[in-house]
Amino acid sequence: MRVASIVGSPARSPVGIWLCLCNLSFKASMSLGRTMLVWLAAVCLARAEPVLPQSFTVYSSPIQLRYGEVYNQMQDPMALPPHIVERYFDQGKALAISGFDADMVRKKNGVETKVKLSDHYLHHYILAMGDNSTMNKIQERAAKDKMFARMLTGCHAMTRSHVHSFLTETNDDPDIVYFGSAAGAEYRHNRQRYQAPFRRVIKKPHVWAPTFHVINTNRPLQNTSLPYSPLLECPCTPQRKIDVKNGSIDGQSPDPPIHCSPEFAATGNPSCHLATYVGGWRCCEHGVFLIDTDKECSDPKCSQELQDEVFMKYTFYYEDADVGTRKMAPSACCDATGTGQGVENIEYDVPACAPGTPVEKCLHVVETVQPVGFYHRHPKSPNDRHRANELVDLVFAAPHLHVAGLSIELFDNITNKTLCSAVASADNQGGIMYGNGTEAGNENGYLVGLIPCTWSGSDAPRFQRNHPLRMRAVYNASRTHTGVMSLWLMEVSPVADGDVVV
Ligand SMILES: *[C@@H]1O[C@H](CO)[C@@H](O)[C@H](O)[C@H]1NC(C)=O
Ligand SMILES: *[C@@H]1O[C@H](CO)[C@@H](O)[C@H](O)[C@H]1NC(C)=O
Ligand SMILES: *[C@@H]1O[C@H](CO)[C@@H](O)[C@H](O)[C@H]1NC(C)=O
Ligand SMILES: *[C@@H]1O[C@H](CO)[C@@H](O)[C@H](O)[C@H]1NC(C)=O
Ligand SMILES: *[C@@H]1O[C@H](CO)[C@@H](O)[C@H](O)[C@H]1NC(C)=O
Ligand SMILES: *[C@@H]1O[C@H](CO)[C@@H](O)[C@H](O)[C@H]1NC(C)=O
Ligand SMILES: *[C@@H]1O[C@H](CO)[C@@H](O)[C@H](O)[C@H]1NC(C)=O
């Protein structure tokens, strides 16, 4: 059951299609006479409602990995296309992003092909976009502050809260906007489209800097009954030096710290303590191998294996921001392992149910209650100046689960109304999609899609920032899984005039 509008392709009204043709013929006519151009321009202007979004496409720097190796770092900032910089940065206009598509590709001899999850698994991505000088400030701080640097590039980056906190120290309206954050394997069917008037607004778009967590999984499966690569659950291999007394993995403290909310820790989940930690993203740092390199490789860097190369590709849809545009900002909800505002451990384990448990009872269920918005006086974002009773609209809710996820729901904890839900079903129509084929986007046995809910200016649920939302996620517990996640990655939009409930 889908309770909110599923993000679909924008309705193709005859006017829209006509405009499309109009744009095409407009371009084609550039070499035709000036009269023709003016005529076409006049017709196009006369029909200029509704305007279809324009788009631009960017590619990441190469991601080079050997089989079993992990890529987990922030790439150097790259310039946005010149026409975007010219129109928005140089002319001082705000860029309004209405959505984007993500893909992973390989480029060989000028031919671009899609890369399957069974070839390179995208664990998650985070994209920063905005002003170069602000991006430089973040990097300068990272150069001086080792901890900040690790938070920026490593697994901690998923939480976004560190940069959120740094940026809001000086400016309540940051010049850098973040996309993604924990969206991963589902990227091809996780349609990022925002309904008007809600947009990701970027004031000084100049550069973008992505962080990727990718695993090279490109080997036929061996010794497993699983249809997917066991590497995607980031097993801690014998090469990981886990020092429980010192609280370190490979001589560094896990980042973010291994820490669950008291409620979640009370469930005894192995992922909440280093002593019982056996797999997940803390064993999945940049350059680490997820195979036993003593057994499978000639040396710890597996240098006998060929290094492969893939790229992430993003197409952004955009328009000029105008007076009616309403900007989007991160929500403080929901991480299954968290409490209060923001995230905690982010990942957890699904322990296998006891042998003989009936299928319908062999489930692992987690729940948490968190406020919809960030507001002042919470430890993770001490600089946030928003008041608890300010109003926000909930405008975008993207679920995030790993393989074996069966359902994830979002409720208003006061009315118990369901706000969004995604459920696995045989026909793949419930919002959680599992692949059953061989092509990219339909990889057999992989979780390949999670459909977000979006709201418009007329139907977005409105809450005080401290309004509690509840999430519940269910996994299939027929076998053990490490490092799973149950998150709602959500965006709110502040209500104008600082409205408060009186
Ligand atoms: C961003 O700023 C840095 C430092 O001033 C500079 O080296 C770099 O070339 C700039 N990047 C772009 C894309 O302009
Ligand atoms: C698979 O299992 C066989 C038999 O147990 C073993 O000899 C082999 O090393 C295993 N291969 C891998 C890649 O673990
Ligand atoms: C203990 O952990 C700290 C980081 O918390 C690290 O700097 C140090 O190298 C670790 N010691 C050992 C023996 O791993
Ligand atoms: C959420 O709802 C439950 C059940 O009604 C209630 O016991 C709990 O106190 C609520 N939590 C918050 C933070 O409102
Ligand atoms: C809230 O709704 C859920 C799902 O419909 C239901 O399982 C639960 O019992 C309800 N809780 C309350 C307190 O009504
Ligand atoms: C594969 O999944 C699609 C939905 O994505 C479904 O319509 C189809 O029936 C499935 N095929 C098989 C053989 O299960
Ligand atoms: C859980 O997974 C097992 C093994 O794949 C399967 O047999 C079972 O039907 C699944 N349970 C549910 C509730 O989907």
Side-chain angles (χ1 to χ4, degrees):
M1 177 200 59
R2 306 287 298 160
V3 291
S5 45
I6 293 173
V7 197
S9 28
R12 290 263 165 184
S13 67
V15 178
I17 289 167
W18 195 88
L19 242 188
C20 224
L21 295 172
C22 183
N23 284 345
L24 279 178
S25 53
F26 188 88
K27 276 192 198 113
S29 71
M30 292 308 261
S31 56
L32 299 178
R34 194 183 150 85
T35 322
M36 179 71 173
L37 201 75
V38 170
W39 179 81
L40 267 172
V43 178
C44 284
L45 279 177
R47 301 281 205 117
E49 280 300 323
V51 179
L52 286 178
Q54 313 215 59
S55 67
F56 66 87
T57 298
V58 291
Y59 290 86
S60 72
S61 299
I63 296 165
Q64 295 167 329
L65 293 172
R66 297 187 160 86
Y67 172 70
E69 190 180 1
V70 177
Y71 186 99
N72 181 16
Q73 66 174 357
M74 181 172 161
Q75 299 190 334
D76 284 340
M78 291 166 275
L80 291 168
H83 67 284
I84 297 296
V85 176
E86 191 192 324
R87 179 165 186 87
Y88 296 99
F89 185 84
D90 295 349
Q91 296 180 25
K93 280 189 187 132
L95 169 69
I97 302 273
S98 59
F100 65 92
D101 296 325
D103 204 354
M104 186 189 283
V105 297
R106 196 178 263 117
K107 299 193 231 178
K108 286 252 164 74
N109 310 321
V111 181
E112 188 178 299
T113 51
K114 288 177 182 287
V115 177
K116 293 189 225 176
L117 289 170
S118 52
D119 178 333
H120 279 66
Y121 181 82
L122 180 69
H123 188 277
H124 65 266
Y125 66 87
I126 310 150
L127 309 180
M129 193 183 288
D131 183 24
N132 194 23
S133 64
T134 308
M135 205 79 88
N136 287 335
K137 269 186 225 154
I138 292 174
Q139 295 204 310
E140 275 163 30
R141 163 86 178 263
K144 276 186 249 154
D145 180 344
K146 245 179 146 180
M147 195 58 203
F148 187 80
R150 287 196 69 213
M151 282 159 62
L152 198 62
T153 58
C155 291
H156 204 118
M158 263 174 91
T159 68
R160 289 198 292 191
S161 55
H162 57 292
V163 190
H164 178 77
S165 175
F166 173 70
L167 291 172
T168 48
E169 258 167 43
T170 46
N171 187 346
D172 198 33
D173 193 12
D175 293 333
I176 304 271
V177 163
Y178 283 83
F179 297 91
S181 95
E186 67 272 23
Y187 63 95
R188 286 192 172 103
H189 305 286
N190 184 240
R191 257 176 78 88
Q192 302 280 323
R193 291 292 186 281
Y194 319 128
Q195 292 192 47
F198 305 115
R199 298 289 182 250
R200 307 303 305 272
V201 176
I202 308 176
K203 284 182 298 181
K204 295 181 195 163
H206 187 195
V207 294
W208 73 296
T211 298
F212 298 116
H213 191 300
V214 179
I215 304 164
N216 182 331
T217 48
N218 196 7
R219 272 283 162 82
L221 299 173
Q222 281 187 328
N223 291 0
T224 173
S225 57
L226 297 172
Y228 52 83
S229 170
L231 303 191
L232 65 86
E233 294 190 334
C234 294
C236 299
T237 65
Q239 286 72 40
R240 300 281 70 71
K241 293 186 184 63
I242 297 184
D243 185 336
V244 175
K245 213 165 140 222
N246 191 45
S248 60
I249 299 180
D250 294 338
Q252 293 195 302
S253 37
D255 183 32
I258 292 180
H259 186 259
C260 298
S261 69
E263 296 86 339
F264 193 77
T267 66
N269 200 276
S271 187
C272 293
H273 301 283
L274 186 57
T276 46
Y277 192 86
V278 293
W281 61 341
R282 274 83 168 191
C283 280
C284 226
E285 291 283 5
H286 188 69
V288 151
F289 280 81
L290 298 170
I291 51 177
D292 184 342
T293 51
D294 290 343
K295 285 192 182 147
E296 298 191 43
C297 304
S298 58
D299 60 70
K301 289 274 136 202
C302 267
S303 38
Q304 86 277 9
E305 297 289 340
L306 287 177
Q307 198 178 49
D308 206 341
E309 182 179 82
V310 298
F311 299 82
M312 285 300 295
K313 173 185 181 181
Y314 289 90
T315 297
F316 289 93
Y317 301 93
Y318 70 96
E319 60 199 31
D320 294 353
D322 63 30
V323 285
T325 305
R326 289 182 57 195
K327 65 174 186 181
M328 297 158 65
S331 163
C333 194
C334 308
D335 165 23
T337 67
T339 185
Q341 301 176 43
V343 296
E344 210 58 80
N345 211 50
I346 306 173
E347 62 173 0
Y348 61 97
D349 294 344
V350 171
C353 60
T357 309
V359 168
E360 68 279 8
K361 294 218 173 98
C362 185
L363 306 170
H364 188 262
V365 183
V366 295
E367 279 204 24
T368 188
V369 178
Q370 294 184 280
V372 63
F374 284 104
Y375 53 93
H376 72 332
R377 296 209 186 94
H378 69 96
K380 277 177 243 147
S381 190
N383 308 304
D384 197 305
R385 281 184 293 251
H386 296 288
R387 280 162 292 144
N389 63 354
E390 282 172 31
L391 295 177
V392 292
D393 288 334
L394 177 61
V395 306
F396 185 77
H400 179 66
L401 295 169
H402 284 195
V403 73
L406 293 175
S407 70
I408 182 163
E409 296 163 285
L410 179 71
F411 307 98
D412 178 332
N413 196 56
I414 302 297
T415 63
N416 205 32
K417 185 174 174 260
T418 305
L419 299 167
C420 185
S421 72
V423 181
S425 61
D427 65 359
N428 263 349
Q429 298 297 304
I432 301 180
M433 298 167 67
Y434 280 93
N436 61 12
T438 53
E439 69 278 19
N442 189 27
E443 299 88 341
N444 185 44
Y446 282 80
L447 189 154
V448 296
L450 287 164
I451 310 297
C453 290
T454 67
W455 291 270
S456 73
S458 56
D459 65 6
R462 183 164 290 187
F463 301 108
Q464 289 195 173
R465 283 181 175 269
N466 63 354
H467 192 96
L469 303 183
R470 188 170 81 257
M471 72 101 92
R472 180 168 64 201
V474 180
Y475 272 79
N476 187 331
S478 64
R479 61 184 311 136
T480 298
H481 297 279
T482 62
V484 306
M485 301 183 186
S486 296
L487 309 166
W488 281 102
L489 303 169
M490 306 200 290
E491 299 286 329
V492 297
S493 183
V495 173
D497 313 324
D499 285 22
V500 292
V501 171
V502 285

